[in-house]
Amino acid sequence: MSSIHIYWDESHIWGLLVWRALRALGLPHRLLRAREIAQGALSRNPPAALVVPGGTARRKFTALGPEGVAAVRDYVRGGGVYLGFCGGAGLGLTGRDGLGLCPWKRRAFSDRIQHTNSGHMHVRPAQDNPLVPPGLGPAPLLPVWWPARFEYEPRDDVRVLAAYTGPGPDFWTADLPLASIPRGPLEDLETQYGLAIWPRYMEGQPCLVEGSFGAGRYVLSYSHLETPASPQANAWLAHLVRTLTGLAPAHGGPTPAWDLEALTRRWPDEAGGEALAAAKAGLEASFRQGLDQLLFFRRNAWLFGWRRGIPGGALNALYSLVCQVQNLEPGPGAARLWHEGQADFLEQLELFRHGLAGYLLAERLAMTMSGTINAIPEEVLTGQRLALFGAHMDFGGLFAPLLETMDELFAATITEGGG
């Protein structure tokens, strides 16, 4: 039976979501690296579909290189299926850092606050399209996690499967939960100061589109249909896979909830399990510090929130990988990889956490002292962020090697069948 391939590079937590969803559906799948794509993996053994998780499209494009880009295009052109979520959707578009599968481009934001939306949105599904599952109703809820937007251009060869209508009950703009904000006063302030907190600019915009490229097909979704415990989104994902590939999910129902903190350790002590447990505990201590200082807050069991400007998404990505890796049983290759790298990882993590503690305190004091003569200058905070995390959307600093180690360890474990 042909399997689904997950393009793993530069996916991190979003790759974990796709992996969990396909595993929950009981569908055959494997992780695929950019170097394998560039070396001809898609032509030697064409998958039933290539699924590209979220992440930064630019980094995914760079990882593929010219040979990898050409290989993906050739695969789809020859009859393959491309399914991209969020950053994976952006990768499928035309323009800089895009594969050019879909003729649309990415739409620029007129205000950066528009890129801080997260939570579920109601959408309007297309009528009479076989890629829309029956029984969803007129306004299903689909999750979005800081989505980009399509540059909408009416044309016959791009078909909209769903368009946004309005925010759902758990929708946030940056660190503001809309359900807790009085609508009337908000509208007054938006009018008075030209704010764009309520996501009106998303209403009517495409969320999920499909089309053909050569003999193949693509589906690009700025909704994360693989989100845990999101039943209508999960049902749509299962329907897409079944319709596009002919693979029948072995299991029904939504993707199970994902409680990172509650994941038990299956990685044995003799293979370095105690080091992974120490890493998990250390990151949880850092989260508690951020919670105590009102910089972090709980969103759900797999995602915490953060005050705007705090690089909480990066920290959440690392934590999710550590939690999931220690919940796996390693093969000999993965155990050897961790045995060789665990001491350096823990040393680097300790340095990172020490710097993070000072940075979080500086951010909290900056909030408290804002507008006073003793306020902490923004350039000081910026310097600390760069040293710890690198530039925005371009992981660097002390954080980058930690993320890379866990990313490689997860991929090695799953490749050996440890999932």
Side-chain angles (χ1 to χ4, degrees):
M1 179 184 294
S2 181
S3 70
I4 296 170
H5 290 188
I6 305 169
Y7 172 31
W8 180 252
D9 295 65
E10 304 298 335
S11 295
H12 313 307
I13 188 172
W14 311 114
L16 292 178
L17 293 188
V18 168
W19 168 74
R20 289 189 76 255
L22 294 181
R23 187 177 63 163
L25 290 170
L27 291 165
H29 60 277
R30 62 156 292 197
L31 305 189
L32 189 67
R33 308 308 300 266
R35 60 179 178 271
E36 297 178 88
I37 295 175
Q39 293 167 359
L42 293 176
S43 60
R44 287 193 303 271
N45 183 24
L50 177 65
V51 180
V52 185
T56 305
R58 173 181 54 81
R59 293 176 65 93
K60 294 177 183 293
F61 185 88
T62 301
L64 283 171
E67 293 83 4
V69 168
V72 175
R73 287 172 54 85
D74 288 345
Y75 159 72
V76 181
R77 186 188 290 113
V81 172
Y82 180 100
L83 176 55
F85 298 115
C86 207
L91 182 65
L93 298 175
T94 293
R96 182 179 176 182
D97 303 327
L99 297 170
L101 305 178
C102 174
W104 284 1
K105 298 180 179 179
R106 174 175 168 169
R107 184 175 183 179
F109 289 105
S110 58
D111 185 339
R112 289 305 301 172
I113 197 71
Q114 296 174 354
H115 194 39
T116 64
N117 296 315
S118 62
H120 283 74
M121 285 202 75
H122 292 285
V123 302
R124 181 177 62 253
Q127 301 297 313
D128 303 321
N129 189 305
L131 294 182
V132 177
L136 286 179
L141 280 168
L142 298 185
V144 294
W145 305 111
W146 308 279
R149 293 187 292 173
F150 297 110
E151 183 66 74
Y152 176 68
E153 177 189 354
R155 47 190 298 162
D156 294 338
D157 56 348
V158 182
R159 292 166 291 280
V160 177
L161 296 175
Y164 300 114
T165 57
D170 66 340
F171 192 86
W172 293 57
T173 296
D175 50 15
L176 299 172
L178 294 193
S180 70
I181 301 176
R183 186 71 183 272
L186 175 62
E187 290 178 345
D188 292 342
L189 289 170
E190 286 182 313
T191 300
Q192 183 176 357
Y193 295 106
L195 305 177
I197 304 301
W198 197 268
R200 298 179 189 85
Y201 47 85
M202 297 179 72
E203 295 173 1
Q205 293 295 312
C207 166
L208 187 63
V209 305
E210 60 104 355
S212 299
F213 182 75
R217 302 182 72 178
Y218 64 82
V219 174
L220 309 181
S221 176
Y222 277 124
S223 170
H224 282 272
L225 303 180
E226 77 285 14
T227 295
S230 183
Q232 292 180 309
N234 302 157
W236 205 324
L237 173 60
H239 180 80
L240 284 174
V241 171
R242 183 185 299 109
T243 305
L244 291 169
T245 71
L247 297 176
H251 310 296
T255 300
W258 191 28
D259 188 337
L260 292 176
E261 189 172 358
L263 288 176
T264 58
R265 179 162 65 87
R266 299 168 60 202
W267 197 288
D269 288 347
E270 60 270 21
E274 291 182 347
L276 287 169
K280 181 173 181 283
L283 289 170
E284 288 169 351
S286 294
F287 290 148
R288 286 193 296 272
Q289 179 190 5
L291 286 167
D292 292 343
Q293 294 171 351
L294 308 180
L295 301 174
F296 297 146
F297 44 89
R298 298 286 184 183
R299 288 289 301 271
N300 55 48
W302 63 272
L303 179 70
F304 61 90
W306 51 87
R307 294 292 297 261
R308 190 178 181 211
I310 306 296
L315 202 58
N316 208 143
L318 177 60
Y319 180 60
S320 68
L321 279 164
V322 170
C323 290
Q324 192 62 68
V325 165
Q326 60 94 44
N327 185 240
L328 303 174
E329 295 180 356
R336 184 169 55 253
L337 182 66
W338 181 235
H339 175 74
E340 294 170 352
Q342 62 178 293
D344 284 345
F345 180 87
L346 290 180
E347 182 179 350
Q348 291 171 346
L349 180 62
E350 192 60 30
L351 288 173
F352 172 76
R353 290 190 57 241
H354 179 77
L356 181 64
Y359 163 68
L360 292 177
L361 179 58
E363 286 278 11
R364 185 68 184 95
L365 292 177
M367 289 169 51
T368 299
M369 304 302 292
S370 177
T372 72
I373 60 173
N374 297 316
I376 296 176
E378 176 57 35
E379 56 266 27
V380 172
L381 300 176
T382 299
Q384 289 181 296
R385 281 195 295 269
L386 285 172
L388 288 168
F389 294 97
H392 179 63
M393 300 296 287
D394 195 13
F395 299 134
L398 294 175
F399 173 80
L402 299 171
L403 187 68
E404 182 179 354
T405 297
M406 280 298 114
D407 197 73
E408 292 292 336
L409 190 57
F410 175 83
T413 307
I414 295 302
T415 300
E416 290 186 320

